[in-house]
Amino acid sequence: MEKYIHPFITVCEDVFRDFVGTKLTAERPYISSRNEEHEWEISAIIGFTGEARGAVVISMKKEPALKITDILTGHAHTDIDNEVIDATGEIVNIIAGNAKRGLEETFKLIISLPTIVRGKNHRITWPGESTRIIAIPFKIFESDSLCLSVAIESITGA
Amino acid sequence: MKNVLVVDDSQIMRNIVKNSFAALDIPCRFLEATNGKDALNQLEENKIDLVLLDWNMPKLSGIEFLKRVRDDERYTQLPVIMVTSEAAKYNVVEALQAGATDYIIKPVNEQKFREKISKIKL
Protein backbone atom coordinates (compact mmCIF):
# COMPACT_ATOMS: atom_id res chain seq x y z
CA MET A 1 0.00 0.00 0.00
CA GLU A 2 2.86 2.40 0.85
CA LYS A 3 4.18 2.20 -2.72
CA TYR A 4 1.03 3.95 -3.89
CA ILE A 5 1.53 6.94 -1.59
CA HIS A 6 4.50 8.62 -3.21
CA PRO A 7 2.58 10.01 -6.22
CA PHE A 8 0.16 11.71 -3.84
CA ILE A 9 2.94 13.41 -1.87
CA THR A 10 4.70 14.65 -5.00
CA VAL A 11 1.48 15.85 -6.62
CA CYS A 12 0.33 17.58 -3.43
CA GLU A 13 3.56 19.58 -3.26
CA ASP A 14 3.35 20.41 -6.98
CA VAL A 15 -0.30 21.47 -6.82
CA PHE A 16 0.27 23.83 -3.91
CA ARG A 17 3.32 25.29 -5.64
CA ASP A 18 1.67 25.73 -9.06
CA PHE A 19 -1.97 26.35 -8.12
CA VAL A 20 -1.75 28.18 -4.79
CA GLY A 21 1.79 29.56 -5.16
CA THR A 22 2.79 28.19 -1.76
CA LYS A 23 5.52 25.81 -0.67
CA LEU A 24 4.59 22.77 1.36
CA THR A 25 7.07 21.00 3.60
CA ALA A 26 6.30 17.33 4.18
CA GLU A 27 6.77 15.92 7.66
CA ARG A 28 7.00 12.30 8.79
CA PRO A 29 4.11 10.16 7.51
CA TYR A 30 2.29 7.92 9.96
CA ILE A 31 -0.45 5.30 10.05
CA SER A 32 -3.69 6.97 11.06
CA SER A 33 -6.51 5.21 12.85
CA ARG A 34 -10.09 5.55 11.68
CA ASN A 35 -11.22 7.11 14.93
CA GLU A 36 -8.20 9.28 15.61
CA GLU A 37 -8.89 12.53 17.45
CA HIS A 38 -7.79 15.51 15.37
CA GLU A 39 -7.79 19.27 15.27
CA TRP A 40 -8.82 19.77 11.63
CA GLU A 41 -11.89 21.88 10.85
CA ILE A 42 -12.46 21.08 7.18
CA SER A 43 -11.71 18.01 5.09
CA ALA A 44 -12.15 17.49 1.35
CA ILE A 45 -12.54 13.89 0.21
CA ILE A 46 -12.25 12.16 -3.16
CA GLY A 47 -13.13 8.48 -3.42
CA PHE A 48 -11.49 6.00 -5.79
CA THR A 49 -13.12 3.14 -7.61
CA GLY A 50 -12.10 1.09 -10.62
CA GLU A 51 -9.16 -1.32 -10.21
CA ALA A 52 -8.56 -0.07 -6.66
CA ARG A 53 -10.69 1.39 -3.97
CA GLY A 54 -9.92 4.03 -1.41
CA ALA A 55 -9.90 7.76 -0.87
CA VAL A 56 -7.65 10.76 -0.61
CA VAL A 57 -8.46 13.41 1.97
CA ILE A 58 -6.97 16.80 2.61
CA SER A 59 -7.68 18.23 6.05
CA MET A 60 -6.82 21.56 7.63
CA LYS A 61 -7.81 24.08 10.23
CA LYS A 62 -9.84 27.12 9.29
CA GLU A 63 -6.97 29.60 9.00
CA PRO A 64 -5.00 27.94 6.18
CA ALA A 65 -8.25 27.13 4.36
CA LEU A 66 -9.15 30.84 4.43
CA LYS A 67 -5.66 31.87 3.31
CA ILE A 68 -5.70 29.42 0.40
CA THR A 69 -9.10 30.69 -0.70
CA ASP A 70 -7.96 34.31 -0.36
CA ILE A 71 -5.10 33.53 -2.76
CA LEU A 72 -7.28 31.71 -5.29
CA THR A 73 -10.08 34.30 -5.31
CA GLY A 74 -8.12 37.49 -4.72
CA HIS A 75 -10.26 38.63 -1.82
CA ALA A 76 -10.41 38.02 1.92
CA HIS A 77 -12.52 35.43 3.72
CA THR A 78 -13.37 35.43 7.41
CA ASP A 79 -15.20 32.14 7.77
CA ILE A 80 -15.70 28.83 5.99
CA ASP A 81 -18.17 29.82 3.28
CA ASN A 82 -19.08 28.39 -0.12
CA GLU A 83 -15.90 29.75 -1.72
CA VAL A 84 -13.71 28.08 0.91
CA ILE A 85 -15.58 24.82 0.34
CA ASP A 86 -15.19 25.26 -3.42
CA ALA A 87 -11.45 25.96 -3.13
CA THR A 88 -10.76 23.04 -0.81
CA GLY A 89 -12.74 20.68 -3.01
CA GLU A 90 -10.97 21.80 -6.15
CA ILE A 91 -7.55 21.30 -4.57
CA VAL A 92 -8.27 17.71 -3.60
CA ASN A 93 -9.78 17.14 -7.04
CA ILE A 94 -6.59 18.34 -8.74
CA ILE A 95 -4.43 16.25 -6.39
CA ALA A 96 -6.48 13.10 -7.02
CA GLY A 97 -6.65 13.58 -10.78
CA ASN A 98 -2.93 14.25 -11.12
CA ALA A 99 -1.99 11.38 -8.79
CA LYS A 100 -3.75 9.01 -11.20
CA ARG A 101 -0.95 9.67 -13.67
CA GLY A 102 1.61 8.31 -11.21
CA LEU A 103 -0.49 5.20 -10.66
CA GLU A 104 -1.57 4.55 -14.24
CA GLU A 105 0.92 1.70 -14.76
CA THR A 106 -0.54 -0.08 -11.71
CA PHE A 107 -4.27 0.36 -12.09
CA LYS A 108 -7.01 2.40 -13.74
CA LEU A 109 -8.90 4.55 -11.30
CA ILE A 110 -12.15 6.47 -11.40
CA ILE A 111 -12.38 9.42 -9.04
CA SER A 112 -15.54 10.73 -7.41
CA LEU A 113 -16.70 14.28 -7.08
CA PRO A 114 -15.27 15.94 -3.96
CA THR A 115 -17.17 15.81 -0.68
CA ILE A 116 -16.56 18.34 2.09
CA VAL A 117 -16.84 17.60 5.79
CA ARG A 118 -16.48 20.43 8.28
CA GLY A 119 -16.64 21.07 12.01
CA LYS A 120 -14.30 20.37 14.89
CA ASN A 121 -13.25 16.72 15.23
CA HIS A 122 -15.42 15.71 12.27
CA ARG A 123 -15.45 12.05 11.25
CA ILE A 124 -14.62 10.59 7.85
CA THR A 125 -15.99 7.25 6.75
CA TRP A 126 -13.21 5.46 4.90
CA PRO A 127 -13.88 2.74 2.35
CA GLY A 128 -12.60 -0.71 3.31
CA GLU A 129 -12.29 -2.01 6.83
CA SER A 130 -8.69 -3.16 6.70
CA THR A 131 -7.00 -0.70 4.34
CA ARG A 132 -4.33 1.27 6.15
CA ILE A 133 -4.64 5.05 6.16
CA ILE A 134 -1.36 6.84 5.59
CA ALA A 135 -1.35 10.41 6.86
CA ILE A 136 1.24 12.89 5.64
CA PRO A 137 1.37 16.17 7.58
CA PHE A 138 2.64 19.25 5.77
CA LYS A 139 3.73 22.66 6.99
CA ILE A 140 2.16 25.54 5.04
CA PHE A 141 2.38 29.32 5.38
CA GLU A 142 5.29 28.89 7.86
CA SER A 143 3.19 28.26 10.97
CA ASP A 144 0.07 26.47 9.66
CA SER A 145 -0.35 22.82 8.81
CA LEU A 146 -2.54 20.50 6.78
CA CYS A 147 -2.76 16.76 6.41
CA LEU A 148 -3.02 14.59 3.31
CA SER A 149 -4.44 11.16 4.09
CA VAL A 150 -4.56 8.32 1.59
CA ALA A 151 -6.04 4.86 1.80
CA ILE A 152 -5.92 2.79 -1.34
CA GLU A 153 -5.92 -0.92 -2.05
CA SER A 154 -5.91 -2.82 -5.28
CA ILE A 155 -8.91 -5.00 -6.01
CA THR A 156 -7.17 -6.69 -8.93
CA GLY A 157 -4.22 -8.09 -6.99
CA ALA A 158 -1.78 -5.51 -8.44
CA MET B 1 -15.95 38.65 -30.74
CA LYS B 2 -15.87 34.93 -29.95
CA ASN B 3 -18.20 33.22 -27.49
CA VAL B 4 -16.26 30.96 -25.14
CA LEU B 5 -18.28 28.55 -22.97
CA VAL B 6 -16.50 27.68 -19.70
CA VAL B 7 -17.96 24.50 -18.18
CA ASP B 8 -16.90 23.65 -14.62
CA ASP B 9 -18.81 22.99 -11.42
CA SER B 10 -16.31 25.09 -9.46
CA GLN B 11 -16.93 28.84 -9.57
CA ILE B 12 -13.33 29.47 -8.50
CA MET B 13 -12.04 27.30 -11.31
CA ARG B 14 -14.31 28.98 -13.87
CA ASN B 15 -12.86 32.33 -12.81
CA ILE B 16 -9.28 31.03 -12.99
CA VAL B 17 -9.93 29.55 -16.45
CA LYS B 18 -11.48 32.83 -17.64
CA ASN B 19 -8.60 34.90 -16.26
CA SER B 20 -5.97 32.62 -17.80
CA PHE B 21 -7.73 32.62 -21.16
CA ALA B 22 -8.37 36.38 -21.07
CA ALA B 23 -4.61 36.96 -20.76
CA LEU B 24 -4.31 35.71 -24.37
CA ASP B 25 -5.95 38.96 -25.54
CA ILE B 26 -8.40 37.16 -27.82
CA PRO B 27 -11.56 39.27 -28.09
CA CYS B 28 -14.19 37.08 -26.49
CA ARG B 29 -17.29 36.92 -24.37
CA PHE B 30 -17.43 34.25 -21.68
CA LEU B 31 -20.50 32.18 -20.99
CA GLU B 32 -20.58 29.74 -18.10
CA ALA B 33 -22.14 26.38 -17.27
CA THR B 34 -21.83 24.34 -14.09
CA ASN B 35 -22.31 20.88 -15.62
CA GLY B 36 -22.73 19.13 -18.94
CA LYS B 37 -26.51 19.41 -18.94
CA ASP B 38 -26.33 23.15 -18.40
CA ALA B 39 -23.71 23.34 -21.14
CA LEU B 40 -26.00 21.56 -23.63
CA ASN B 41 -28.65 24.19 -22.93
CA GLN B 42 -26.12 26.96 -23.48
CA LEU B 43 -25.21 25.43 -26.84
CA GLU B 44 -28.85 25.51 -27.91
CA GLU B 45 -29.32 29.12 -26.86
CA ASN B 46 -26.04 30.72 -28.01
CA LYS B 47 -23.60 30.55 -30.87
CA ILE B 48 -20.55 29.08 -29.14
CA ASP B 49 -17.11 29.26 -30.77
CA LEU B 50 -15.10 27.32 -28.18
CA VAL B 51 -15.89 25.10 -25.19
CA LEU B 52 -13.47 24.77 -22.25
CA LEU B 53 -14.73 21.63 -20.55
CA ASP B 54 -14.13 20.08 -17.14
CA TRP B 55 -14.48 16.29 -16.83
CA ASN B 56 -15.91 15.54 -13.37
CA MET B 57 -19.17 17.37 -12.84
CA PRO B 58 -22.58 16.49 -11.38
CA LYS B 59 -25.68 15.78 -13.52
CA LEU B 60 -23.76 15.26 -16.76
CA SER B 61 -19.99 14.79 -16.88
CA GLY B 62 -17.74 16.49 -19.37
CA ILE B 63 -16.99 13.26 -21.23
CA GLU B 64 -20.70 12.47 -21.61
CA PHE B 65 -21.33 16.04 -22.79
CA LEU B 66 -18.55 15.63 -25.34
CA LYS B 67 -19.99 12.38 -26.69
CA ARG B 68 -23.44 13.93 -27.07
CA VAL B 69 -22.02 16.99 -28.80
CA ARG B 70 -20.04 14.90 -31.30
CA ASP B 71 -23.13 12.81 -32.04
CA ASP B 72 -24.92 16.02 -33.10
CA GLU B 73 -24.00 17.00 -36.65
CA ARG B 74 -24.34 20.69 -35.78
CA TYR B 75 -21.36 20.47 -33.45
CA THR B 76 -18.94 18.06 -35.11
CA GLN B 77 -16.49 20.90 -35.84
CA LEU B 78 -16.98 22.84 -32.59
CA PRO B 79 -13.62 23.19 -30.78
CA VAL B 80 -13.85 21.53 -27.36
CA ILE B 81 -10.81 21.60 -25.09
CA MET B 82 -10.92 19.43 -22.00
CA VAL B 83 -9.65 21.38 -18.96
CA THR B 84 -9.45 18.79 -16.23
CA SER B 85 -7.42 17.33 -13.39
CA GLU B 86 -7.78 13.87 -14.99
CA ALA B 87 -4.10 13.44 -15.84
CA ALA B 88 -3.80 9.72 -16.58
CA LYS B 89 -2.93 8.80 -20.16
CA TYR B 90 -5.99 6.56 -20.42
CA ASN B 91 -8.17 9.58 -19.63
CA VAL B 92 -6.47 11.70 -22.30
CA VAL B 93 -6.91 8.89 -24.83
CA GLU B 94 -10.57 8.45 -23.92
CA ALA B 95 -11.26 12.15 -24.34
CA LEU B 96 -9.45 12.41 -27.67
CA GLN B 97 -11.23 9.31 -28.96
CA ALA B 98 -14.53 10.87 -27.90
CA GLY B 99 -13.74 13.91 -30.02
CA ALA B 100 -11.93 16.38 -27.79
CA THR B 101 -9.99 18.93 -29.82
CA ASP B 102 -7.25 19.13 -27.20
CA TYR B 103 -6.57 18.48 -23.54
CA ILE B 104 -5.27 20.70 -20.73
CA ILE B 105 -4.44 19.28 -17.31
CA LYS B 106 -5.22 21.42 -14.27
CA PRO B 107 -3.87 23.50 -12.70
CA VAL B 108 -4.20 25.82 -15.68
CA ASN B 109 -2.20 28.88 -16.56
CA GLU B 110 -1.91 31.31 -19.44
CA GLN B 111 0.96 29.41 -21.04
CA LYS B 112 -1.00 26.16 -21.28
CA PHE B 113 -3.86 27.97 -23.02
CA ARG B 114 -1.49 29.81 -25.34
CA GLU B 115 0.05 26.52 -26.53
CA LYS B 116 -3.30 24.89 -27.20
CA ILE B 117 -5.22 27.83 -28.64
CA SER B 118 -2.47 28.53 -31.18
CA LYS B 119 -3.40 25.21 -32.83
CA ILE B 120 -7.08 26.04 -33.14
CA LYS B 121 -8.78 28.22 -35.73
CA LEU B 122 -11.11 30.46 -33.78
mmCIF file of all heavy atoms in Angstrom, chain B residues 50-67:
data_model
loop_
_atom_site.group_PDB
_atom_site.id
_atom_site.type_symbol
_atom_site.label_atom_id
_atom_site.label_comp_id
_atom_site.label_asym_id
_atom_site.label_seq_id
_atom_site.Cartn_x
_atom_site.Cartn_y
_atom_site.Cartn_z
ATOM 1 N N LEU B 50 -16.090 28.173 -28.851
ATOM 2 C CA LEU B 50 -15.105 27.318 -28.180
ATOM 3 C C LEU B 50 -15.682 26.880 -26.835
ATOM 4 O O LEU B 50 -16.295 27.696 -26.125
ATOM 5 C CB LEU B 50 -13.795 28.098 -27.939
ATOM 6 C CG LEU B 50 -12.732 27.443 -27.058
ATOM 7 C CD1 LEU B 50 -12.164 26.179 -27.708
ATOM 8 C CD2 LEU B 50 -11.589 28.425 -26.771
ATOM 9 N N VAL B 51 -15.473 25.616 -26.505
ATOM 10 C CA VAL B 51 -15.894 25.103 -25.185
ATOM 11 C C VAL B 51 -14.643 24.691 -24.408
ATOM 12 O O VAL B 51 -13.802 23.948 -24.918
ATOM 13 C CB VAL B 51 -16.842 23.896 -25.321
ATOM 14 C CG1 VAL B 51 -17.263 23.395 -23.933
ATOM 15 C CG2 VAL B 51 -18.074 24.254 -26.146
ATOM 16 N N LEU B 52 -14.522 25.185 -23.185
ATOM 17 C CA LEU B 52 -13.469 24.769 -22.252
ATOM 18 C C LEU B 52 -14.165 23.916 -21.199
ATOM 19 O O LEU B 52 -14.970 24.418 -20.412
ATOM 20 C CB LEU B 52 -12.786 25.996 -21.636
ATOM 21 C CG LEU B 52 -12.168 26.967 -22.655
ATOM 22 C CD1 LEU B 52 -11.620 28.212 -21.952
ATOM 23 C CD2 LEU B 52 -11.078 26.292 -23.481
ATOM 24 N N LEU B 53 -13.857 22.617 -21.183
ATOM 25 C CA LEU B 53 -14.734 21.632 -20.548
ATOM 26 C C LEU B 53 -14.051 20.828 -19.452
ATOM 27 O O LEU B 53 -13.067 20.117 -19.716
ATOM 28 C CB LEU B 53 -15.245 20.681 -21.647
ATOM 29 C CG LEU B 53 -16.178 19.555 -21.258
ATOM 30 C CD1 LEU B 53 -17.522 20.094 -20.761
ATOM 31 C CD2 LEU B 53 -16.400 18.617 -22.452
ATOM 32 N N ASP B 54 -14.575 20.928 -18.246
ATOM 33 C CA ASP B 54 -14.131 20.076 -17.143
ATOM 34 C C ASP B 54 -14.653 18.649 -17.366
ATOM 35 O O ASP B 54 -15.579 18.429 -18.159
ATOM 36 C CB ASP B 54 -14.668 20.650 -15.825
ATOM 37 C CG ASP B 54 -14.132 19.934 -14.597
ATOM 38 O OD1 ASP B 54 -13.071 19.291 -14.690
ATOM 39 O OD2 ASP B 54 -14.780 20.031 -13.533
ATOM 40 N N TRP B 55 -14.064 17.693 -16.682
ATOM 41 C CA TRP B 55 -14.482 16.289 -16.833
ATOM 42 C C TRP B 55 -15.494 15.905 -15.752
ATOM 43 O O TRP B 55 -16.618 15.496 -16.027
ATOM 44 C CB TRP B 55 -13.258 15.377 -16.751
ATOM 45 C CG TRP B 55 -13.513 13.934 -17.047
ATOM 46 C CD1 TRP B 55 -14.445 13.116 -16.477
ATOM 47 C CD2 TRP B 55 -12.813 13.126 -18.006
ATOM 48 N NE1 TRP B 55 -14.357 11.851 -17.010
ATOM 49 C CE2 TRP B 55 -13.365 11.823 -17.946
ATOM 50 C CE3 TRP B 55 -11.761 13.369 -18.896
ATOM 51 C CZ2 TRP B 55 -12.903 10.778 -18.746
ATOM 52 C CZ3 TRP B 55 -11.294 12.323 -19.688
ATOM 53 C CH2 TRP B 55 -11.868 11.058 -19.614
ATOM 54 N N ASN B 56 -15.084 16.040 -14.488
ATOM 55 C CA ASN B 56 -15.907 15.541 -13.374
ATOM 56 C C ASN B 56 -16.875 16.613 -12.900
ATOM 57 O O ASN B 56 -16.484 17.573 -12.243
ATOM 58 C CB ASN B 56 -15.007 15.102 -12.215
ATOM 59 C CG ASN B 56 -14.176 13.899 -12.593
ATOM 60 O OD1 ASN B 56 -14.711 12.883 -13.033
ATOM 61 N ND2 ASN B 56 -12.869 14.014 -12.467
ATOM 62 N N MET B 57 -18.132 16.421 -13.233
ATOM 63 C CA MET B 57 -19.170 17.369 -12.838
ATOM 64 C C MET B 57 -20.451 16.597 -12.524
ATOM 65 O O MET B 57 -20.664 15.508 -13.064
ATOM 66 C CB MET B 57 -19.454 18.359 -13.976
ATOM 67 C CG MET B 57 -18.292 19.275 -14.306
ATOM 68 S SD MET B 57 -18.667 20.390 -15.661
ATOM 69 C CE MET B 57 -18.682 19.250 -17.043
ATOM 70 N N PRO B 58 -21.308 17.161 -11.673
ATOM 71 C CA PRO B 58 -22.582 16.495 -11.384
ATOM 72 C C PRO B 58 -23.539 16.586 -12.580
ATOM 73 O O PRO B 58 -23.310 17.362 -13.503
ATOM 74 C CB PRO B 58 -23.115 17.277 -10.181
ATOM 75 C CG PRO B 58 -22.492 18.631 -10.304
ATOM 76 C CD PRO B 58 -21.136 18.416 -10.921
ATOM 77 N N LYS B 59 -24.585 15.797 -12.529
ATOM 78 C CA LYS B 59 -25.682 15.779 -13.521
ATOM 79 C C LYS B 59 -25.256 15.201 -14.861
ATOM 80 O O LYS B 59 -25.835 14.217 -15.313
ATOM 81 C CB LYS B 59 -26.299 17.166 -13.695
ATOM 82 C CG LYS B 59 -26.977 17.669 -12.442
ATOM 83 C CD LYS B 59 -27.663 18.995 -12.672
ATOM 84 C CE LYS B 59 -28.309 19.472 -11.370
ATOM 85 N NZ LYS B 59 -28.876 20.819 -11.483
ATOM 86 N N LEU B 60 -24.281 15.825 -15.511
ATOM 87 C CA LEU B 60 -23.759 15.265 -16.760
ATOM 88 C C LEU B 60 -22.275 15.606 -16.831
ATOM 89 O O LEU B 60 -21.901 16.779 -16.813
ATOM 90 C CB LEU B 60 -24.498 15.849 -17.972
ATOM 91 C CG LEU B 60 -24.166 15.211 -19.319
ATOM 92 C CD1 LEU B 60 -24.706 13.786 -19.403
ATOM 93 C CD2 LEU B 60 -24.727 16.046 -20.482
ATOM 94 N N SER B 61 -21.449 14.570 -16.905
ATOM 95 C CA SER B 61 -19.991 14.791 -16.882
ATOM 96 C C SER B 61 -19.523 15.408 -18.196
ATOM 97 O O SER B 61 -20.229 15.392 -19.212
ATOM 98 C CB SER B 61 -19.271 13.465 -16.661
ATOM 99 O OG SER B 61 -19.407 12.649 -17.804
ATOM 100 N N GLY B 62 -18.306 15.893 -18.171
ATOM 101 C CA GLY B 62 -17.736 16.485 -19.375
ATOM 102 C C GLY B 62 -17.595 15.482 -20.501
ATOM 103 O O GLY B 62 -17.846 15.793 -21.666
ATOM 104 N N ILE B 63 -17.197 14.256 -20.174
ATOM 105 C CA ILE B 63 -16.987 13.264 -21.230
ATOM 106 C C ILE B 63 -18.325 12.863 -21.857
ATOM 107 O O ILE B 63 -18.412 12.648 -23.082
ATOM 108 C CB ILE B 63 -16.210 12.037 -20.691
ATOM 109 C CG1 ILE B 63 -15.635 11.210 -21.837
ATOM 110 C CG2 ILE B 63 -17.057 11.180 -19.789
ATOM 111 C CD1 ILE B 63 -14.466 11.810 -22.519
ATOM 112 N N GLU B 64 -19.384 12.790 -21.056
ATOM 113 C CA GLU B 64 -20.700 12.474 -21.611
ATOM 114 C C GLU B 64 -21.224 13.628 -22.451
ATOM 115 O O GLU B 64 -21.840 13.424 -23.504
ATOM 116 C CB GLU B 64 -21.684 12.135 -20.486
ATOM 117 C CG GLU B 64 -21.422 10.790 -19.836
ATOM 118 C CD GLU B 64 -21.431 9.639 -20.840
ATOM 119 O OE1 GLU B 64 -22.292 9.634 -21.734
ATOM 120 O OE2 GLU B 64 -20.539 8.762 -20.744
ATOM 121 N N PHE B 65 -20.981 14.853 -21.990
ATOM 122 C CA PHE B 65 -21.332 16.035 -22.785
ATOM 123 C C PHE B 65 -20.630 15.976 -24.138
ATOM 124 O O PHE B 65 -21.250 16.195 -25.188
ATOM 125 C CB PHE B 65 -20.916 17.307 -22.034
ATOM 126 C CG PHE B 65 -20.904 18.552 -22.874
ATOM 127 C CD1 PHE B 65 -22.062 19.296 -23.055
ATOM 128 C CD2 PHE B 65 -19.734 18.990 -23.476
ATOM 129 C CE1 PHE B 65 -22.053 20.452 -23.835
ATOM 130 C CE2 PHE B 65 -19.714 20.137 -24.258
ATOM 131 C CZ PHE B 65 -20.876 20.867 -24.440
ATOM 132 N N LEU B 66 -19.343 15.669 -24.105
ATOM 133 C CA LEU B 66 -18.548 15.631 -25.338
ATOM 134 C C LEU B 66 -19.107 14.604 -26.320
ATOM 135 O O LEU B 66 -19.236 14.871 -27.521
ATOM 136 C CB LEU B 66 -17.095 15.306 -24.983
ATOM 137 C CG LEU B 66 -16.102 15.193 -26.125
ATOM 138 C CD1 LEU B 66 -16.005 16.500 -26.915
ATOM 139 C CD2 LEU B 66 -14.726 14.796 -25.587
ATOM 140 N N LYS B 67 -19.453 13.422 -25.816
ATOM 141 C CA LYS B 67 -19.993 12.379 -26.691
ATOM 142 C C LYS B 67 -21.316 12.817 -27.321
ATOM 143 O O LYS B 67 -21.565 12.589 -28.510
ATOM 144 C CB LYS B 67 -20.166 11.081 -25.902
ATOM 145 C CG LYS B 67 -18.833 10.422 -25.545
ATOM 146 C CD LYS B 67 -19.024 9.244 -24.604
ATOM 147 C CE LYS B 67 -17.663 8.626 -24.235
ATOM 148 N NZ LYS B 67 -17.795 7.589 -23.185
#
